[in-house]
Amino acid sequence: MRNPISQLTTKRLRHAGELAFGPIALFVVWWLAARGGWVNKDLLPPPTDTLRDTAVNLWSGSMSKDIAHTMVRVGYSIAIAIIAGVPIGIVLGAKAAVYRSVEFIVDFFRSTPATAMFPLFLLLFGLGDLAKIAVAAFAAWLVIVFNVAYGVMNARQTRVLAARSMGASSLRIFRDVIFFETLPQTFVGLRTAVSLALVVIIVAEMFIGATDGMGHRIIDAQISYSLTDMYGSILIAGALGYGLNLVLLFLERSLIHWSGK
């Protein structure tokens, strides 16, 4: 019989190897493309140079400041989207007829690219941070409303009926049954909303009069032909999105341990 500790160690090593495969494969393909001449060497610096310069920029604090500005904007936009989106999603989902009456509006704007809304938000809020946060919050808000509403509408009716048969009031049913049934779908919407808000903020920083942030850093590096800085900033932006998704997944698994049961 195998030692349980040995089995656990083997499992952890296998899991670590699975997680490391993607970054290692990306590094190898990038290195081969740069060194093998697959791409013009003037347009694709080696990954070693990019990672070295990125580490220097992080250590010096110049990139850290841009990361902080971007994350603050994302944080504000997500906070606004959650505060405004969850209650509205619950209200819409509580009555299918209510949701159907506004379904066209929700789906229409949810299907409209957020970047197409830039001119409107620029007219409303000007060139400052408010316009960037507002357009990202709007895009994230639509995703949260949609997922919360569907979470409420698709709550397991067997549990609702069981609670009702035991004499629970509508408020008690919502608080103890529907609310918890909705959380898995809410977190799905939240993860999507965070990723979308990050994308919108970075694109807005590129084109809406920003003087800082990762989007501004990427476009500024491209204009000045600082390719290692540009690629490094793109990698960091991707790592931010990946990290936020991991945090939300951890929270989801910790708080919603009953999901799927």
Side-chain angles (χ1 to χ4, degrees), residues 170-191:
S170 297
L171 180 61
R172 183 77 180 273
I173 291 173
F174 173 79
R175 187 187 67 190
D176 295 342
V177 180
I178 295 178
F179 175 76
F180 291 101
E181 286 285 315
T182 304
L183 283 179
Q185 186 69 29
T186 299
F187 264 89
V188 170
L190 184 57
R191 293 205 314 271

Side-chain angles (χ1 to χ4, degrees), residues 25-131:
L26 175 62
F27 181 90
V28 170
V29 172
W30 186 352
W31 186 84
L32 290 174
R35 293 300 184 187
W38 300 355
V39 180
N40 189 330
K41 292 182 179 180
D42 295 330
L43 301 178
L44 183 66
T48 49
D49 294 349
T50 300
L51 294 176
R52 184 189 64 245
D53 290 352
T54 302
V56 170
N57 289 331
L58 287 171
W59 183 259
S60 68
S62 64
M63 185 178 286
S64 300
K65 292 178 181 177
D66 287 319
I67 292 172
H69 284 113
T70 295
M71 294 305 293
V72 166
R73 292 177 181 125
V74 171
Y76 276 127
S77 62
I78 288 298
I80 294 169
I82 292 173
I83 293 171
V86 172
I88 293 176
I90 291 172
V91 171
L92 294 180
K95 295 290 185 180
V98 175
Y99 181 80
R100 284 196 298 270
S101 66
V102 297
E103 185 176 12
F104 168 78
I105 297 174
V106 174
D107 284 349
F108 176 82
F109 283 105
R110 191 172 62 88
S111 303
T112 303
T115 50
M117 305 294 288
F118 282 174
L120 172 62
F121 281 86
L122 281 173
L123 288 174
L124 294 175
F125 300 106
L127 288 172
D129 277 356
L130 188 57

